[in-house]
Amino acid sequence: MTTKMFGAPVQRNEDPRFLTGKGRYVDDFESGAYGAAFLRSDFGHAKILEIDVAAALALDGVYGVYTHADLEGVLSEPLPLLIPNPNLFAPRTQYALAKEEVCYVGEVVAMVVAKDRYIAEDAAGMIFVDYEPLPVASDLEGASQVGAPVAHSDMDDNVNGRVAEEKGDVDGAISAATHVFEWRFEIERAAAMPMETRGVVADYDTRTESLLMYDSTQAPTGVRGGLAQLFGLDPDNVHVVAPDVGGGFGMKVIQFYPEEVMVAWASRKLGHVVKWIEDRREDFVGSNHERGQVHHVKVGADDEGHILAMDVKFINDAGAYCSYGLIIPIVTAAQMQGPYKIKNFRYEFRNIFTNKVPTSPYRGAGRPQAVYVMERVMDRVAGELGIDRTEIRRRNFIGPDEFPYEVGVMWQDGGNVVYDSGDYEKGLDVLLEALDYPAFLADQKKAREEGRLLGLGIGCYVEGTGIGPYEGALIKILNDGSVTVAIAVGTQGQGHETVFAQIVSDELGVPVDRIKIVSGDTRRLGYGVGTFASRSAVVAGNAVLKAAQTVKRKAAEVASRSLEVSVEDLVFADGRVHVEGAPDVGVPLGQLAIISNPLRYAFGKDSEEAVLLAQRAYAGSDRPLPEGTSPGLEATEFFSPKAGVFAFGTHAAVVEIDRDTCNLKILRYVVHHDCGKVINPMIVDGQVQGGVAQGIGGAFYEKFEYDEEAQLTNATFMDFLIPYATEIPTLELHHTETPSPLNPLGIKGVGEAGTIPGAAVIANAVSDALGQPVDKMPLSPLILFEMMHPSLDG
Amino acid sequence: MTGDKMRISLTVNGETREVDVEPRWLLSDVLRHELGLTGTHVGCEHGVCGCCTVLIDGGPARSCLALAVSVDGAEITTVESLAAEDGQLHPLQESFQKHHGLQCGFCTPGFLMTAMPFWENAEDMSDDELRKEISGQLCRCTGYSGILASIHGAAAVARERERSDSSRRIAEQDVDQ
Amino acid sequence: MKPPRFEYHRPSSRDEVAALLAQHGDESKILAGGQSLVPMLNFRLAHPDHLVDINHLEGEASEPELGDRWVTFGPLVRHVAAERSLVVEEEVPLLFEALRFVAHPAIRTRGTIVGSIAHSDPAAEIPAVLTALGGEIVARSARGERTIHSDDCFVGPLINALKHDEWMEAVRFPRRAEGEGFAFEEFSRRSGDYALCGVAAAARPSGSGMNVTLAYLGVGVTPQTIEVSARPVSEYQHPSFFGELEGLVHAELRPYDDIHATGAYKRFLAVRLGVKAARRAVSMGEPA
C-alpha cells in the first residue's frame, strides 16, 4: 500500500450497488406497509371552518383519517423551531396538521392511512373542508409594506425578524466617496427538486414500545432525538435510518416536516407499518423552497473603482413558517463581501412572512443571492467608471497575505466570519488564462460587428463551509481484516462511501474497497448533526481521520505485544502490520482484531494462528485483557471545528443570445475552484459540475409561477423546467489547492460551490451581451424578449 | 371489475411472471411492489423525469405511464437484468462507474435503460446527438457530463474487456501448451 | 399521483370498441399509448368511469400503410414506428421531420400517431402537420364510419369533432406530390418540451411559383393556419417577405399568454419561425 489514496480519483465504492438496482431508497422498504396520503390546503390563506371526514372514513380499505382534533399533547402544539434566534419577533412554525388556519397552498390539513396509496388518495379526495378565504400575502415586496395583508391572522404585519450590523463608518465613507450608486437587485424563489422526493416508513412496535423509521432525510440523528422526545421514549428505543437518499440539496435537512411526525404517530396508533412517499405534486408545495430576496444597495467608490462603502438593505421571503429561523438572510449578509476588502459595510435585513411554501436552505443557502448582488455591483461599478471587469475585482480583492481575514460581520454559528485561507487573485488568473480573456474580447468585438449578441459573465465567491458543532465516526477492524466506519451523517450521492474510505485507507493500509462506510443509521452511531452546509467532508472527514488514528494506535499496541517489537517499529500496509524493514514479519489486521478480543469463537486458519499469537501477546500480562485496554479493535472519535473554513472560486460563462428566438445559449462555462486539499478530484469535479447545472437551472429555466392568490400555477415538471442534458454545457474545470490551516486534513467543503455564482454569472453575461442591466433573476427567453423588444410588449 | 384484480402475465427480465393487478395500477408500482424489482425508481409520475424508464418490448418507455394491465403479455426489461449473474457489471454499467456517471443513483437506472438500445453506437454520435438521445431523463446531481462520458465510453469498456478476455485466453492456452 | 378507479375494458376488435363507446360514450376514455392520458389520470385531472384499452386489438398494423393517395396510420402505429418508417420519410417528410420534436424517445416508444391527433393538443406537433398537409381522420362508431378533414377536426383545446360514441380509428396523411416542399420549425424551452411556438410549412407549386400553408402550433386553441399566396420562389428570399408575413401574423394570429410566453412574444416567434420554415419548404420544393 504505497500509493496514497487521499487525492486520487478513486472509483466509487457505492456505484455497483446503484448501478445494479440494489440501492435501497426509502420506498424500497416494507412493501406491505399501509399507504398514507395527506390532504393539503388549496388556499394560500384561509380559516378552516369545518372538516368532514365521514365519507373518507367509510371507504373500504381506509384505516384512519386524522385531523388536528385527533392530536394530543406535544403533537397538538406547533412543530419545533429548529434554529431559534433572539432577533425573531414572531416565530411561527406549522402544526403537524393545520389547526384553525392554513397559511399556504400545500399545508397539510388531514392525513389518511389506507391499505395502499391508491385508496389513500381516493379517501383524501373525499374529505370535505369548508374554508373561509382570508386576504393573501403573496408577493414578497408587497408583504413587506405597512398595511399589507398579513400571512398570519394573529399578526399585525409580516415582519418575522430583523438583523442589522455595521463595520466601519458607512455613512461617512459614502458621503466622502467620489461616486455613489444605488441599485435594486431581486432574486426569486427556487427549490432543490431532488429526483427522489421525501418519504417516510415508520414501524412502531407496540409490544416493545420502540420505533424504527426509514426517512429520506439529511439529518437522521435530529429526527430520532425529536421523535424520542415526542413519544416520551428512551432514544435507544427509537432509531432512524436515512438509507440511500436520492438527492437532498438542503431541502431534506428540515426537521420536522409534518409528515415525519405524523407517519410515526400513525404507525403507533395503528400498530402497523405506515409508509408515505411524497409525490411530485406534493413536493412542489410541501417541501421547502429558498432564495426569494429583494436588495437595495448603496455603494460608494473612488475613481479607481475601490469599493469604499456598501450599505445593503434586503428582505427575505420566509414563506409561511420559519422552522429554520433566520439562517438564510444571515448567510447572505455574512457572505456578501465575498473575496473583497470592503472597509465600511452595513446591512439590515427583514425576514418576511408570505403565504407561500416555507423556505429553508437549498444548495447555496443565501450565498447565491449575496454573490449575485456583489458581482452585479462589481460589473455595474466597472461599467460606470469605465474600468475592465477583471481589473476592478483585482483592485478590491483581499490579498493572499491577509489571512486570517476578519470580515467584520456575524457568521451563522454566532461567531465572527474569519476567512482561514485563500488566494483570490491567483484564482482569477487561472480562470482568465483558461478563458483566454483577450481572445474573448476580440471575438465579442467581431460578433458585435456582425450583429451577434455575445456576452461574458464573471462571478467570484467565497463559500463558508465545514461548520460545527461536530461529527463523529466509529471505526471497527473486523476479523476478516475489513474495516467498517459508521458515521452519523447520511449520504445523498456525495460519495461518502469512497472519500471517507480513502482517508481510512491511508491510515490503516487497507484497500479502499475493503472499507465499508455505514452512514445515517442511528443504530450504528447515535451522535451527529447532519449532511448540509458543505460540512460532511470537513467535519465528518476529520472525525474519521481521528478515529482511524485511534484504532491504528490500538492495533499497533496489540501488534507490538504479539510481535514483541516496539510500536514505533511497525508499518501498516496491504492489510497487515509488519516490522519496519522486515515485511515478512507481521500480522494481518484481521488477526489483530481476533487477538484483541480474547474469545475462542472464530473460524478458519487465521483464527488458529491468531490464537497462537494471542498466547504470546498475553504471556507478559496478568490477565487476558490487559489493564487499560478494551476488547476489539474499534474507536469512536468526534471532531468539532473551531470555525468554518472558506472555499472560493470564480466562474465565467460565455453566452450568445439568439436574435430570432431570444434564447440563451451557453457557449462555454469555465470554472476555477479551490476547496483546499482535495480528497477525490473525480468526486469534487462531479460536485462542481452538478452544482453549476443547478445554478444554470435557477438562473434561466426554473421559475415558480405564483399567482396573486399564492397559488403555484406550474407545479409539474412539464412547466417547471429543470434542464435536461440538452441545456447544460460541460464545464471546463480548473483547480487550485489552498489548504485550510484549521483542520488536520487541510480540506474545505465543496457541496454547494458550483451553484453559488450561477445567478451572478448568467446575469452578468446577459447584461454584457445586451448592454443592459440585469437586476432581476431568474431570466427566461420571454424576459430576454421583453428586454430586447420593449416596444413589442403587449 | 372496479377494484377487482386481473391476472396478467409479464415476461420480466426473461422470466414469465403471473401477477394479479388492479386495472389502475401503474407498471412502475407493480414492478416495484408486487414483483420486488425496486431498481426501477419513481420520480414524477407524469412522464417527465424518466427515472422509471424500463424497456417495454425492447423500447425505452416510462413505467409510470403504463397501466400494468395494458402491457399484459409484454416483455419488460429492468435494470436488475443488466449485470451478469456472477455480479460482473454490464459494460455500460462499468462505464458509469469509470466516468462518474452517477451520484445519488436515483435517476441512474432510467439512464441505463434509456441508453441500452444504443450504447454500442454512442461513441460515433456527436455530443449534440447524444444529448438529444438522453434528453427526457432528468438528473439533479451530475450536471450530465459524467453521464454523457459514460454512455460515450461504454463501447470502449466493452472492447477493453474483450481484449483482456482474449489475452487471458491466449495466456491460458500458452500455459496449457 | 395514482389513477382513480375505473372500469377496464379490453376489446379485441374495432367493432367491440364501437360497441363499448355506444354503451358508455361520454363516461369513457380510449387508452392507446397513454402518454397524455395516463399523466392526466395520475394527476386525477381525468376520471373516466370506463377505460377502453385498445392496445390488445387483434390484427392491427404496427406500421403505416401506403395507399394510392394516402399514408394511413392505424390506431396502434407508435411514434417510433413512424419515425423509423421509410414510407413516412419519403411520402410524408413533414411528419418525419416533426417527429423529432415530439417529446423524447421514451415517450415515442408508446405514443401513437392517432393518439396525438385524438388528444388534439393545440401545442402539439402532429395536429399542426395534419393541418398543414390537409389530412383526414376516420371516425368510427356503431353507427358507421365517417371521414373528417383536418380543417374540421380540431375544435378547441383538447377538443375535436368526434362525437361521444365515436373513436378515431385511423389518420391519413396525403402522399407528397410532385414539386412539394416541407419544413418544420419550433422553439421550445427544453429539448422535447411543448413549443412556445412552432410551425409546419407545406409549399406547393402554383403557376410558375409556389404557395405555402403555414400551420402553427402553440398560438391558439387549435392549429392556426396562414396561407401565403403563390409567388415566384425568389420572392420568399426577399427581405420584404419578412414584412409581409409579419403583417399576416399580426392580422391572423391571436395567441394567448401563458407562463412561458406572452402573445406578443409568440407573434414575434411566429414571424421568424414562419419565415424560416417557408423559405426552407420552398427551397425543398420545385415549381411546376
Side-chain angles (χ1 to χ4, degrees), chain A residues 118 121-122 279 281 659-661 663 700-701 714 717 719 721-722 724 726-727 781-782 785 789 792, chain C residues 1-3 5 42-44 104 187 189-191 193-194 259-262 264-265 267-269 272:
Chain A
Y118 288 76
E121 284 189 25
D122 295 344
D279 67 30
R281 182 164 48 179
R659 284 192 183 277
D660 281 343
T661 59
N663 199 18
F700 196 70
Y701 293 94
N714 64 333
F717 277 168
D719 285 320
L721 309 175
I722 295 178
Y724 288 119
T726 33
E727 285 74 49
L782 172 60
F785 164 73
H789 303 281
L792 291 182
Chain C
M1 288 177 60
K2 307 294 184 189
R5 286 191 179 165
N42 290 358
F43 277 118
R44 300 201 176 199
H104 306 103
F187 173 56
R189 295 291 321 268
R190 298 175 299 187
S191 162
D193 279 349
Y194 279 114
I259 60 171
H260 300 302
T262 57
Y265 180 32
R267 276 199 296 269
F268 173 92
L269 291 169
R272 282 148 188 84

Side-chain angles (χ1 to χ4, degrees), chain B residues 35 42 45 73 103 116-117 152 154 158:
Chain B
L35 299 178
V42 174
E45 289 181 314
Q103 289 183 23
M116 272 308 285
H152 187 264

Side-chain angles (χ1 to χ4, degrees), chain A residues 439-464:
Chain A
F440 165 79
L441 292 174
D443 286 350
Q444 187 181 39
K445 187 162 174 284
K446 186 160 165 282
R448 282 185 175 154
E449 285 161 11
E450 293 164 2
R452 288 166 51 218
L453 301 168
L454 202 63
L456 169 69
I458 287 181
C460 304
Y461 64 96
V462 174
E463 182 201 0

Side-chain angles (χ1 to χ4, degrees), chain A residues 27-40:
Chain A
D27 190 32
D28 302 343
F29 293 88
E30 301 285 356
S31 59
Y34 291 167
F38 289 87
L39 178 71
R40 293 166 188 277

Side-chain angles (χ1 to χ4, degrees), chain A residues 89 248 325 339 419 491 560:
Chain A
F89 313 139
Y419 295 166
T491 175
S560 140

Side-chain angles (χ1 to χ4, degrees), chain B residues 18-135:
Chain B
E18 307 251 315
V19 54
D20 294 331
V21 302
E22 286 185 27
R24 63 169 165 168
W25 285 359
L26 301 171
L27 177 62
S28 49
D29 285 333
V30 170
L31 288 172
R32 292 177 46 74
H33 302 307
E34 302 300 309
L35 299 178
L37 295 168
T38 55
T40 298
H41 299 149
V42 174
C44 77
E45 289 181 314
H46 54 286
V48 185
C49 78
C51 292
C52 69
T53 304
V54 298
L55 303 184
I56 300 180
D57 292 330
R62 308 292 202 225
S63 60
C64 78
L65 297 189
L67 298 177
V69 274
S70 187
V71 294
D72 189 3
E75 257 185 59
I76 311 293
T77 312
T78 70
V79 68
E80 284 89 349
S81 70
L82 301 188
E85 276 187 17
D86 66 0
Q88 190 190 27
L89 297 179
H90 184 280
L92 181 61
Q93 292 172 313
E94 189 179 322
S95 193
F96 266 71
Q97 181 173 26
K98 181 177 172 189
H99 296 286
H100 196 26
L102 66 156
Q103 289 183 23
C104 80
F106 197 79
C107 71
T108 310
F111 274 95
L112 291 171
M113 300 320 291
T114 300
M116 272 308 285
F118 69 85
W119 67 273
E120 284 165 294
N121 309 319
E123 64 185 349
D124 298 327
M125 292 171 138
S126 70
D127 183 58
D128 279 351
E129 279 174 316
L130 184 52
R131 285 176 189 273
K132 182 97 183 150
E133 205 61 41
I134 60 165
S135 74

